[in-house]
Amino acid sequence: MPDCIGDVKLLKKSLAENRKIVMKADEKIEKTAKQILQGKYPKNGLSFASRLAGLFGQRLYFRKKTKRYYGGIKIDTAKCVACGMCASICPMKNIEVKDGAINFNGKCTMCYRCFSNCPKQAITIIGKQVYEQCKFEKY
């Protein structure tokens, strides 16, 4: 994955390096999707120990850490034009446009769709500024 989730810079990779990583991952996804359409499903290569490490290392540890971000969607009102793109793309229906302003309802899953599709780069979730908007959905 790239070192930047859009509004937080984690490592020191350039934008070009991040795009290369995303393109390589996209190629793998396309290849796997074609195989699945042909009835060839990928094998689950995780061992029992890997699953336990994932459970304790990710799900339990980070569960409490990410809870503080759920209500943390921030909007730069100077940039926002209340176009409603974020509201239309939110899978949780967490965002609504009311009286020319964007309102959040506290049901964010941090999918970053609103962030990645904001035409004015007015939305941040964890960080304070937009570094890169990544759009992964093609279909």
Side-chain angles (χ1 to χ4, degrees):
M1 288 301 292
D3 71 340
C4 173
I5 57 172
D7 60 345
V8 175
K9 191 78 173 146
L10 300 174
L11 300 174
K12 302 290 186 264
K13 291 184 180 172
S14 69
L15 183 60
E17 288 173 305
N18 282 340
R19 288 195 175 143
K20 193 173 183 181
I21 291 168
V22 170
M23 285 176 48
K24 192 172 181 181
D26 195 38
E27 289 171 6
K28 285 183 177 182
I29 291 168
E30 290 285 337
K31 181 181 174 186
T32 302
K34 286 178 185 176
Q35 289 175 340
I36 290 172
L37 288 173
Q38 295 171 354
K40 300 174 190 170
Y41 295 90
K43 294 182 181 178
N44 189 350
L46 296 177
S47 66
F48 181 71
S50 296
R51 289 176 187 263
L52 281 177
L55 171 67
F56 291 109
Q58 283 183 314
R59 288 185 177 81
L60 297 179
Y61 178 76
F62 286 111
R63 183 174 182 209
K64 290 182 180 177
K65 297 246 182 227
T66 58
K67 278 192 177 186
R68 66 185 167 152
Y69 301 132
Y70 287 165
I73 300 174
K74 296 170 278 303
I75 188 138
D76 184 339
T77 54
K79 291 181 180 179
C80 179
V81 294
C83 67
M85 174 65 81
C86 54
S88 69
I89 202 163
C90 180
M92 299 301 294
K93 305 299 179 213
N94 180 45
I95 306 169
E96 62 184 3
V97 181
K98 203 179 238 184
D99 300 325
I102 303 296
N103 298 309
F104 303 102
N105 299 321
K107 298 183 281 185
C108 180
T109 60
M110 294 174 58
C111 72
Y112 271 77
R113 284 184 178 104
C114 60
F115 168 90
S116 295
N117 290 282
C118 179
K120 298 295 182 179
Q121 296 185 337
I123 299 173
T124 56
I125 297 175
I126 297 174
K128 293 184 170 116
Q129 79 179 70
V130 175
Y131 288 101
E132 178 183 4
Q133 288 176 306
C134 298
K135 296 180 186 177
F136 295 102
E137 292 141 331
K138 290 183 176 182
Y139 312 100

